């Protein structure tokens, strides 16, 4: 390793000298002193890593002999930022030809963030836009690793195409644009970076070389001035002269995303077919995304019955069960968290960006209608639905019943755009969720009383059962950790508002105590090396917190969103 990472040479020398002495000891002493050497090295490296964290939340009480369990938990979470980010031989953030980088050999390859370990550690499976940008604030902005966050925002921004940020980056070689949500999580990451990094809104002026040539309308010299809509997005290989020829600012990329969605995005995926996705049917490669302008609501929508453009993206892959090419959770229509993410983006532009820095956002047409869309999603009556007093998962899904399923996606919406929700309705829904969805480490991805609920995920299942074959139930019951943190953050937020309206500080203190109790499982898990050999939080568990063999042992967004929750607890405790 030290050949490619010369900064490791002092550690290599230190270990070599001491282990050389350990070899000279007798058999009865060498195990003891070997353990001492390794433990000393581990503690020193751990201390050094924590010293890089700029957050007072992480470094609070660092000089004290005793620390609280929450503080110990916070540090363990923060250490996963180093676990998940680094250089690997097989991939990076840019192809060799990126003009502002040195030759992309292993010694200079840009470090990248893995979605999880061990399943998403190398090659084209390493970098996923959705996972990275959900994780960016928790693992890289709160601890102060602004350079890492900045690099990933720019890298994915450079591959903007069709008005979409790719989910699967593949180093910019053959990025895939089949996700409807990765774009808006990228947009949220830009927002969070500007709010937390020292350079603030100046970041919007940063120049980004475009991996793919944009439409003429989005070239700097003709930006937002050309109306020709007959032009199509062009795929070019990395040796094409048009690759990285055009340069845009971050602000231009954001405006292009808004403009493309407003105009409607319709295309067939490049290289569609079995080589791109062996299980997907032909209809699934058709991407349709846009804004519903009816009734002045402006809901973002997209997808169809044969693709799955949100994080609940399990595609049917069993011929025997008759589900090949049929996703379990297409979530087409207007998914609740995407509507909230768009609202968050518009709120930020309107309140924090527009007019704040000269010439940074000169474009007109962004209008924020400060209305609650609570009534569009809240279900007060049980007509055609399994449960009332909850929020819909989506609006206008092809399979109408799926609109009315109780899933945890609404908690993402509650956190990123709480103003969309009626407080009393939100509190009622959170209470119901605590009773039926909350589990020890994660939150159920579907109401257990739903006919489709199957709580055990087994990707190797080769049965003819269409509800579980080939792990089709990935998001139909198994309990995911990252979105559980959003539930707890939403719970704290609305309990604080409710307590304030009742002038009851004690009521909110009870809510804080409840959250502290619920995350005790996570504290035990991350410190238990028998359950967590990677010293991180898992991707998911099976029913009631039982072990899932197909889960990543440590997942980036699991630790990241939990660190955001701890940050909320710290702020509310001050």
């Amino acid at each position: 390793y030290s050949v490619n990472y010369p900064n490791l040479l002092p550690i290599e020398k230190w270990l070599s000298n001491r282990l050389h002495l350990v070899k000279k000891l007798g058999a009865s002493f060498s195990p003891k002193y070997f353990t001492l050497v390794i433990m000393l090295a581990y503690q020193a490296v751990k201390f050094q890593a924590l010293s890089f964290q700029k957050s007072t939340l992480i470094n609070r009480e660092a000089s004290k002999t005793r620390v609280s369990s929450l503080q110990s938990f916070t540090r363990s979470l923060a250490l996963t930022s180093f676990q998940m980010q680094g250089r690997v031989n097989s991939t990076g953030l840019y192809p060799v030809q990126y003009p502002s980088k040195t030759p992309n050999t292993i010694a200079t390859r840009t470090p990248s963030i893995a979605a999880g370990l061990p399943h998403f550690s190398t090659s084209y499976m390493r970098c996923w836009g959705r996972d990275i940008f959900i994780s960016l604030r928790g693992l890289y902005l709160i601890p102060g690793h602004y350079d890492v966050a900045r690099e990933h925002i720019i890298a994915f921004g450079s591959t903007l195409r069709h008005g979409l940020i790719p989910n699967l980056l593949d180093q910019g070689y053959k990025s895939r644009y089949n996700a409807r949500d990765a774009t808006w999580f990228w947009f949220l990451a830009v927002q969070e970076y500007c709010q937390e990094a020292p350079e603030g809104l100046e970041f919007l002026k940063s120049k980004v070389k475009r991996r793919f040539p944009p439409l003429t309308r989005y070239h700097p010299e003709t930006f937002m001035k050309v109306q020709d809509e007959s032009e199509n997005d062009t795929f070019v290989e990395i040796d094409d002269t048009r690759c990285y020829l055009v340069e845009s600012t971050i602000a231009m990329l954001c405006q292009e995303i808004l403009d493309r969605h407003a105009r409607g995005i319709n295309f067939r995926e490049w290289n569609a077919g079995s080589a791109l996705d062996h299980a997907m049917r032909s209809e699934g490669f058709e991407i349709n995304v846009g804004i519903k302008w009816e009734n002045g609501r402006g809901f973002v929508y997209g997808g169809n019955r044969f693709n799955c453009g949100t994080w609940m993206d399990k595609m049917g892959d069993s011929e025997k069960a008759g589900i090949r090419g049929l996703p379990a959770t297409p979530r087409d229509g207007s998914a609740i968290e995407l509507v909230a993410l768009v609202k968050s983006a518009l709120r930020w532009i309107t309140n924090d960006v527009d007019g704040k820095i000269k010439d940074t956002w000169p474009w007109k047409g962004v209008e924020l209608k400060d209305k609650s869309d609570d009534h569009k999603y809240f279900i007060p009556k049980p007509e055609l639905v399994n449960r009332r007093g909850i929020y819909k998962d989506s609006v206008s899904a092809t399979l109408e019943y799926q609109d009315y399923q109780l899933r945890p996606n609404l908690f993402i919406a509650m956190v990123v755009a709480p103003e969309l929700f009626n407080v009393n309705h939100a509190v009622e829904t959170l209470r119901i969720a605590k009773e039926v969805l909350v589990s020890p480490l994660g939150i159920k991805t579907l109401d257990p009383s739903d006919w489709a609920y199957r709580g055990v995920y087994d990707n190797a299942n080769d049965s003819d059962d269409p509800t579980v074959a080939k792990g089709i139930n990935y998001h139909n019951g198994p309990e995911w950790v990252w979105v559980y943190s959003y539930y707890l953050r939403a719970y704290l937020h609305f309990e604080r508002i409710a307590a304030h309206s009742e002038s009851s500080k004690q009521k909110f203190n009870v809510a804080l105590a409840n959250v502290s109790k619920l995350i005790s499982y996570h504290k035990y898990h991350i410190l238990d090396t028998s359950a967590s050999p990677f010293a991180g939080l898992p991707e998911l568990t099976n029913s009631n917190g039982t072990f899932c063999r197909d889960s990543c042992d440590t997942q980036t967004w699991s630790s990241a969103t939990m660190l955001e929750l701890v940050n909320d607890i710290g702020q509310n405790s001050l």
Side-chain angles (χ1 to χ4, degrees):
Y1 284 101
S2 58
V3 174
N4 293 322
Y5 306 100
N7 288 339
L8 291 178
L9 282 170
I11 299 176
E12 178 186 301
K13 184 177 180 180
W14 187 92
L15 284 170
S16 178
N17 290 339
R18 281 150 185 81
L19 293 177
H20 177 72
L21 295 174
V22 169
K23 288 180 180 179
K24 296 181 178 180
L25 299 174
S28 58
F29 289 101
S30 56
K32 174 182 177 180
Y33 284 95
F34 174 82
T35 303
L36 283 172
V37 168
I38 297 302
M39 283 300 297
L40 279 171
Y42 168 74
Q43 292 294 344
V45 170
K46 179 180 176 180
F47 180 84
Q48 182 73 356
L50 288 171
S51 72
F52 292 143
Q53 313 281 352
K54 297 180 176 65
S55 171
T56 55
L57 172 74
I58 296 167
N59 288 317
R60 196 190 317 164
E61 305 177 13
S63 61
K64 296 182 180 180
T65 304
R66 298 179 63 185
V67 297
S68 68
S69 63
L70 184 62
Q71 186 66 22
S72 178
F73 181 51
T74 304
R75 294 177 187 176
S76 296
L77 291 171
L79 285 172
T80 61
S81 64
F82 299 99
Q83 179 188 68
M84 295 298 185
Q85 188 253 353
R87 293 187 180 94
V88 294
N89 288 316
S90 57
T91 193
L93 291 179
Y94 307 99
V96 175
Q97 285 81 356
Y98 192 75
S100 69
K101 299 294 172 185
T102 51
N104 209 352
T105 62
I106 179 58
T108 58
R109 192 185 297 276
T110 308
S112 58
I113 298 172
L117 301 177
H119 303 320
F120 304 107
S121 55
T122 60
S123 194
Y124 71 94
M125 291 292 286
R126 180 176 175 86
C127 291
W128 297 79
R130 176 191 301 127
D131 300 58
I132 286 172
F133 296 116
I134 288 172
S135 307
L136 217 60
R137 180 171 181 261
L139 282 190
Y140 298 97
L141 291 176
I142 289 176
H145 304 305
Y146 304 122
D147 55 335
V148 177
R150 193 181 202 278
E151 193 74 66
H152 282 75
I153 291 172
I154 288 176
F156 276 82
S158 72
T159 59
L160 180 70
R161 186 167 176 246
H162 305 292
L164 298 173
I165 295 293
N167 190 31
L168 192 61
L169 180 65
D170 189 25
Q171 205 172 334
Y173 284 106
K174 292 180 173 63
S175 305
R176 192 172 182 193
Y177 299 85
N178 62 327
R180 306 196 313 272
D181 60 351
T183 302
W184 298 109
F185 282 117
W186 178 88
F187 211 121
L188 180 65
V190 172
Q191 174 183 338
E192 291 169 338
Y193 181 87
C194 290
Q195 291 169 338
E196 306 223 11
E199 65 180 308
L201 292 174
E202 289 292 326
F203 175 61
L204 296 176
K205 299 178 182 178
S206 300
K207 301 290 182 66
V208 180
K209 296 283 188 180
R210 303 289 294 268
R211 164 68 180 86
F212 301 101
L215 304 185
T216 305
R217 177 175 171 81
Y218 305 112
H219 282 239
E221 62 276 9
T222 55
F223 195 81
M224 301 291 288
K225 298 175 183 177
V226 179
Q227 300 299 326
D228 182 14
E229 298 187 14
S230 63
E231 191 178 3
N232 294 317
D233 293 89
T234 304
F235 177 87
V236 297
E237 298 287 358
I238 59 171
D239 57 355
D240 191 291
T241 56
R242 293 167 291 176
C243 179
Y244 295 120
L245 180 64
V246 177
E247 190 174 70
S248 303
T249 64
I250 292 290
M252 285 178 174
L253 297 181
C254 291
Q255 175 64 17
E256 182 176 335
I257 287 169
L258 294 171
D259 192 59
R260 292 296 295 267
H261 278 76
R263 288 167 169 261
I265 299 169
N266 301 280
F267 66 94
R268 184 172 176 82
E269 283 194 79
W270 177 83
N271 199 29
S274 59
L276 181 62
D277 191 320
H278 73 280
M280 186 171 281
R281 299 186 184 186
S282 179
E283 303 96 317
F285 294 109
E286 300 294 335
I287 307 298
N288 301 286
V289 182
I291 303 294
K292 290 285 187 184
W293 297 110
E294 294 90 332
N295 302 318
R297 287 291 160 190
F299 282 4
V300 65
Y301 76 94
N304 63 48
R305 173 68 185 90
F306 302 100
N307 55 35
C308 34
T310 73
W311 77 278
M312 292 186 165
D313 58 355
K314 185 66 174 181
M315 178 59 71
D317 195 18
S318 172
E319 291 282 6
K320 184 188 296 186
I323 57 172
R324 194 179 186 90
L326 293 175
T329 47
R331 303 190 69 229
D332 58 326
S334 297
I336 189 169
E337 76 277 19
L338 299 196
V339 172
L341 284 163
V342 174
K343 175 61 161 61
S344 174
L346 296 179
R347 182 190 64 222
W348 173 62
I349 293 168
T350 302
N351 297 343
D352 297 348
V353 178
D354 193 17
K356 299 299 188 295
I357 296 183
K358 185 178 180 181
D359 299 329
T360 299
W361 202 277
W363 310 290
K364 301 300 179 184
V366 173
E367 180 183 0
L368 178 64
K369 295 189 175 181
D370 194 14
K371 295 180 180 179
S372 169
D373 288 308
D374 184 278
H375 70 284
K376 288 287 186 180
Y377 282 88
F378 189 71
I379 305 172
K381 297 181 180 180
E383 301 160 358
L384 302 176
V385 300
N386 178 52
R387 189 183 295 277
R388 65 177 178 175
I390 65 169
Y391 286 89
K392 295 179 183 178
D393 188 53
S394 56
V395 169
S396 303
T398 301
L399 302 176
E400 188 177 2
Y401 77 90
Q402 293 192 343
D403 279 343
Y404 297 91
Q405 291 180 309
L406 173 58
R407 296 183 180 275
N409 302 300
L410 65 100
F411 307 124
I412 305 168
M414 285 182 174
V415 170
V416 300
E419 67 273 17
L420 292 176
F421 295 85
N422 173 283
V423 174
N424 293 330
H425 290 169
V427 170
E428 180 182 354
T429 301
L430 288 160
R431 177 188 57 79
I432 292 171
K434 184 178 180 181
E435 294 174 358
V436 301
L437 295 183
V438 168
S439 289
L441 279 179
I443 194 163
K444 294 179 178 67
T445 41
L446 184 61
D447 187 338
S449 68
D450 193 290
W451 72 269
Y453 174 84
R454 301 292 187 277
V456 176
Y457 173 59
D458 179 6
N459 200 45
N461 184 302
D462 194 31
S463 72
D464 59 1
D465 184 344
T467 65
V468 294
K470 299 292 184 182
I472 189 67
N473 63 313
Y474 199 28
H475 306 103
N476 273 343
E479 299 155 8
W480 288 68
V481 178
W482 78 273
V483 76
Y484 184 29
S485 300
Y486 275 95
Y487 163 76
L488 293 172
R489 294 182 68 198
Y491 170 71
L492 279 181
H493 176 81
F494 285 102
E495 285 294 332
R496 183 176 64 247
I497 294 176
H500 179 73
S501 65
E502 299 173 16
S503 300
S504 176
K505 184 176 180 180
Q506 182 179 1
K507 182 177 180 180
F508 181 63
N509 287 337
V510 170
L512 276 174
N514 286 338
V515 171
S516 296
K517 181 179 179 180
L518 289 170
I519 64 173
S520 62
Y521 295 100
H522 304 81
K523 294 177 184 178
Y524 296 142
H525 181 89
I526 203 169
L527 296 174
D528 182 357
T529 54
S530 62
S532 179
F534 282 78
L537 295 178
E539 177 185 10
L540 72 150
T541 65
N542 282 332
S543 176
N544 297 316
T546 55
F547 175 73
C548 176
R549 67 181 182 185
D550 291 314
S551 166
C552 277
D553 294 287
T554 178
Q555 192 83 351
T556 306
W557 58 14
S558 298
S559 294
T561 56
M562 189 60 66
L563 196 53
E564 287 189 274
L565 169 66
V566 173
N567 187 62
D568 288 356
I569 293 172
Q571 291 179 346
N572 284 306
S573 299
L574 295 177

